[in-house]
Amino acid sequence: MYAAGSAYPEPLAGATAEAVRKVWNANYFGALWVLKYGLPRLAAGGRMYFIGARPELVTVRGFSQYAASKGALSKLLEVSRIEARGKTITLVLPPAVDSPLWTQVGRTPKGAMSPETVAQAIIADRRGEGQAELMVE
């Protein structure tokens, strides 16, 4: 499971190369390297899970890089599924999760779910056939 993430929200006009790199390295490039080096080692029938973000929840002021990097992650996984026949790659889409990520933002969103709730949804999904997207409610 890939659950790394970075936000560092700022208006687009104030974007800095350092902050943009931090967000993209955690949200996209880390996942890319996990896929590149992990998929060949994953047995047929194996599964990989990646924590994504719901576009309707992250398309807000200051989150241009976060939203874009999580959108790119979604497309990366879509193409990876084509290339990884016999293996399941799932994009997990919870609402906000109560995690240390929010210290970068300044507050945890109201109603954020626990990491344990997300973990239980993934465990339940593993009992089934696997799917491209797992919406966690």
Side-chain angles (χ1 to χ4, degrees):
M1 179 169 74
Y2 188 81
S6 184
Y8 296 102
E10 62 187 346
L12 188 55
T16 64
E18 179 183 3
V20 169
R21 273 193 294 278
K22 283 181 185 177
V23 172
W24 280 83
N25 281 342
N27 298 342
Y28 178 79
F29 287 109
L32 172 79
W33 302 128
V34 165
L35 287 162
K36 176 180 172 55
Y37 295 106
L39 272 176
R41 290 170 174 77
L42 189 64
R47 297 184 184 187
M48 296 178 107
Y49 290 86
F50 293 80
I51 304 296
R54 294 185 186 177
E56 72 275 13
L57 300 178
V58 297
T59 307
V60 297
R61 185 182 316 274
F63 275 70
S64 64
Q65 297 309 305
Y66 183 82
S69 63
K70 289 297 189 173
L73 171 65
S74 176
K75 286 299 178 186
L76 171 65
L77 298 184
E78 189 175 321
V79 173
S80 296
R81 285 183 202 102
I82 296 166
E83 297 179 6
R85 292 187 192 119
K87 301 171 185 179
T88 302
I89 301 169
T90 301
L91 178 62
V92 181
L93 295 169
V97 178
D98 188 358
S99 72
L101 171 84
W102 298 106
T103 59
Q104 300 168 6
V105 176
R107 67 176 178 81
T108 302
K110 185 177 181 178
M113 69 175 40
S114 72
E116 293 78 15
T117 301
V118 177
Q120 289 302 318
I122 293 169
I123 290 168
D125 184 73
R126 289 197 41 79
R127 293 184 195 115
E129 291 185 24
Q131 55 191 323
E133 288 187 352
L134 173 60
M135 286 292 242
V136 182
E137 302 295 335

